[in-house]
Amino acid sequence: MRTAPTILHLDMDAFYASVEQASKPSLRGKAVVVGGLGPRGVVATASYEARVFGVHSAMPMGQARRLAPNAAYLVPRFNFYRSISERVMELLRALSPLVEPLSLDEAFVDLEAGGVACDERSARLAGVKLREDIRAVTGLTGSVGLAASKMLAKIASEEAKPDGLVVIEPGTERAMLGPMSVRILPGVGPTTGDHLRRAGIATVEEIVEAGEDELVRLLGKAHGHGLYAMALARDDRPVVAEREAKSVSVEDTYDVDIHDRTRVGLEVQRLAERCVRRLRGAGLSGRTIVLKVRRYDFSTLTRSETLRGPTDDPAVIREAAARLLDSVDTTGGVRLLGVGVSGLADYTQEDLFAQAGERAVAEGPVEEHAVAQAEEQPSLAERRWPAGHDVRHAEFGHGWVQGSGLGRVTVRFETPASEEPGRVRTFRVDDPDLEAADPLPLVLFGPEEGVGASGAGSQAVSSVPASLPKSWSGSGGGAARSRP
């Protein structure tokens, strides 16, 4: 393991919710929950104000509403989040060629490989500048952890939340990890944690005291050896610049079980189309088509078919998905459907017609079949207005949907640059003056113009929690300082 804290882990603070707060002045400082709003929806992200009430990611949305009935509940805008994530990743790649994204809002960076850090001081300066640049470019805050390994850098960024920076100095790792819960270690989830607790092991130090042989006996050879090494702060995993995608998939969960077999078929075809769009957007093709079906009783079935060569042809993937559906009994209802493509490649098999079952060209354009009919542009009266999404009115300008129902849609007219919460108006859902709109940028200028941002969710916090050892040092609100 290296001898300087030059592995950086960035974790954006409550990313989706913070983007929504930065976009909507009326929500800044308020409880915001982003996720699926149907009866079976789950929380994707909750703002720190919502977390006070016990709301957290992966929680059923119904439970979140009971805990925080007055929070703002919004439908995710993933394309917008992705565009902001790309700007953050550009800043990371300017630091080093070794950037390992884990998700839209999280990544590792090897600062030493980029030549920007070789010791604790230079690493800290790079972390402080990164946080300042992120705020200037996006209006948002991120928490940074710096350590000599990926595991420790991730632990440090978690301790830095929200809006802080924590450095773990080499040589202090064992003392820092010892009193922490075993759940802090990668791979220790609720099940493993409970298993260890029943064996009298609750802290990382108790893992070390139990010994490697006992860990192997409790958890098996591979997991036991790995967990013992992590408890000793041993982690030699390198930062990997590009993590190759193994599959591309999409899925939908339905508020009401689908019983009609024809509707199930149309949904599978629609998902196949979406999967192809994502596949082509990534410049990929694939050989194996996968269908996922979760039935009314929560049982989940997967079926797959491997083609002769990789493809991104929508007709080929639709027809394969339809064949897979034929082998699945949907009697009783379906609550979730998904279509995916694996065995990815960056080229496409030429013989697409053979893969499609010798489709005759004379059949006409595949886009004219039932899926296209199901996805035609809705009439004005059929338009949907997802909560939180952007709209524009011919008279009132840009705004966002606060809610809709009973033929009405309520809009708050404000922009990220608004100094005060905007005014609220209600319209008929078929109002011809109201239309969906693209999101507005959170900030107008980048750091080269010297313009900072006033994004939501940004708050200065004490540099290091009081419970951390003196060897830890951190910063909050962009100012670096060490604990005495």
Side-chain angles (χ1 to χ4, degrees), residues 322-335:
R323 288 193 295 272
L324 294 171
L325 180 61
D326 288 341
S327 67
V328 177
D329 179 12
T330 60
T331 304
V334 170
R335 61 183 287 119

Side-chain angles (χ1 to χ4, degrees), residues 185-255:
L185 298 177
V188 181
T191 301
T192 301
D194 287 344
H195 191 45
L196 291 172
R197 181 179 52 79
R198 288 193 295 271
I201 301 173
T203 67
V204 175
E205 183 58 36
E206 287 170 345
I207 289 179
V208 177
E209 293 172 353
E212 189 170 14
D213 291 342
E214 178 66 6
L215 264 291
V216 169
R217 187 187 69 80
L218 290 171
L219 304 176
K221 187 174 182 179
H223 198 182
H225 285 311
L227 192 59
Y228 186 73
M230 287 188 290
L232 294 174
R234 297 173 184 166
D235 178 20
D236 296 325
R237 294 173 300 159
V239 175
V240 180
E242 294 294 338
R243 300 198 310 161
E244 184 177 351
K246 295 182 179 179
S247 65
V248 173
S249 63
V250 296
E251 62 181 44
D252 276 343
T253 301
Y254 303 99
D255 294 343

Side-chain angles (χ1 to χ4, degrees), residues 131-329:
R131 294 178 59 242
E132 292 173 348
D133 288 346
I134 289 173
R135 184 188 291 270
V137 168
T138 69
L140 305 175
T141 64
S143 295
V144 167
L146 289 159
S149 71
K150 290 168 68 173
M151 178 189 77
L152 294 169
K154 185 172 175 61
I155 291 173
S157 69
E158 187 63 31
E159 297 296 332
K161 282 189 165 293
D163 190 20
L165 182 152
V166 165
V167 179
I168 302 178
E169 299 173 7
T172 67
E173 299 93 346
R174 289 282 302 279
M176 176 272 297
L177 283 175
M180 289 186 165
S181 166
V182 295
R183 292 289 303 276
I184 199 71
L185 298 177
V188 181
T191 301
T192 301
D194 287 344
H195 191 45
L196 291 172
R197 181 179 52 79
R198 288 193 295 271
I201 301 173
T203 67
V204 175
E205 183 58 36
E206 287 170 345
I207 289 179
V208 177
E209 293 172 353
E212 189 170 14
D213 291 342
E214 178 66 6
L215 264 291
V216 169
R217 187 187 69 80
L218 290 171
L219 304 176
K221 187 174 182 179
H223 198 182
H225 285 311
L227 192 59
Y228 186 73
M230 287 188 290
L232 294 174
R234 297 173 184 166
D235 178 20
D236 296 325
R237 294 173 300 159
V239 175
V240 180
E242 294 294 338
R243 300 198 310 161
E244 184 177 351
K246 295 182 179 179
S247 65
V248 173
S249 63
V250 296
E251 62 181 44
D252 276 343
T253 301
Y254 303 99
D255 294 343
V256 178
D257 291 345
I258 302 175
H259 293 83
D260 181 71
R261 181 75 179 188
T262 300
R263 166 88 188 283
V264 172
L266 288 173
E267 288 293 315
V268 167
Q269 298 290 281
R270 183 179 62 82
L271 289 166
E273 293 278 359
R274 282 175 51 196
C275 186
V276 168
R277 289 197 292 271
R278 183 171 295 182
L279 194 70
R280 288 181 167 179
L284 298 170
S285 58
R287 295 185 63 218
T288 301
I289 315 304
V290 181
L291 175 71
K292 177 180 177 181
V293 180
R294 181 167 298 151
R295 299 188 292 189
Y296 70 99
D297 59 356
F298 288 88
S299 61
T300 302
L301 304 176
T302 58
R303 298 288 186 268
S304 64
E305 175 182 321
T306 299
L307 308 173
R308 288 190 240 173
T311 182
D312 64 354
D313 187 300
V316 174
I317 295 174
R318 282 198 306 262
E319 291 174 13
R323 288 193 295 272
L324 294 171
L325 180 61
D326 288 341
S327 67
V328 177
D329 179 12

